[in-house]
Amino acid sequence: MSRFRGILQASLNATKKDLVPPTERFIFNFNSKDELKKWHLYSDSEYGGIFSGNLSLDFIEGAKLKINRSGFCGMRSKKFDGFIDLDPYDTIALKVKGDGRCYISTIYTENWVNSPGQEEDNSWQAFVFVPKDNWYIAKIPLARYLPTWRGNVIDAEMEMNPSRVVGMSLSVNAEGGLPGARTGAGDFKLEIDWIKALRT
């Protein structure tokens, strides 16, 4: 009987080793045109994962949409085919080179809030300060992502469901962000090498 238990325990230990996910997982690797096709780009961009443009605080006369602020630009991944399960991970890492601005990293999860009239995915946002001119690996704990609705933090106790991630985005605002970051109208440029999930 003890020999059987020993074999069973050895088998379980071997299985556990096979079931443990790697300590990191590529979500996006911006090294090919096919990879870039996975994103909706809402600004000037080039092959190689460059997100760039010019932020303006001016309003366009006669615009179809009524807005009360400007100076915003973003790029969003196309909705994943199914879900990405980030439950085994605790951190999002981005290898970026920027311009001293503060960017916004957004994770979209399946909508489970069921708010009346809200059919959009849940969005979770965190600031990413990107130093100027040098490649930098920004690490954002998943716990730092806050629930948002149209760019505003929701004042509610909610927890992200990291096993049901349906997309991601990066955006920039002319105003706001972290202290010390460059703000205001003008050019912006963010180069992105990859985005990974990490278990730290």
Side-chain angles (χ1 to χ4, degrees), residues 36-49:
L36 292 179
K37 288 179 184 175
K38 296 178 183 177
W39 288 78
H40 297 287
L41 303 173
Y42 297 107
S43 69
D44 297 335
S45 64
E46 300 174 30
Y47 174 75

Side-chain angles (χ1 to χ4, degrees), residues 64-135:
K64 291 180 183 179
L65 297 174
K66 299 291 183 195
I67 59 172
N68 57 16
R69 60 182 173 160
S70 62
F72 168 86
C73 192
M75 59 183 254
R76 181 175 176 170
S77 71
K78 294 179 181 175
K79 202 162 186 175
F80 299 142
D81 184 16
F83 304 99
I84 287 187
D85 182 0
L86 298 182
D87 200 44
Y89 304 97
D90 56 54
T91 301
I92 296 295
L94 305 92
K95 185 176 179 185
V96 289
K97 180 164 51 166
D99 52 10
R101 286 188 183 270
C102 190
Y103 289 80
I104 301 167
S105 170
T106 305
I107 296 173
Y108 299 96
T109 58
E110 178 184 43
N111 181 0
W112 55 270
V113 174
N114 297 326
S115 299
Q118 181 183 342
E119 296 176 9
E120 298 174 19
D121 302 316
N122 296 141
S123 61
W124 307 82
Q125 296 184 324
F127 286 122
V128 184
F129 173 69
V130 183
K132 189 175 180 182
D133 297 333
N134 293 312
W135 284 104

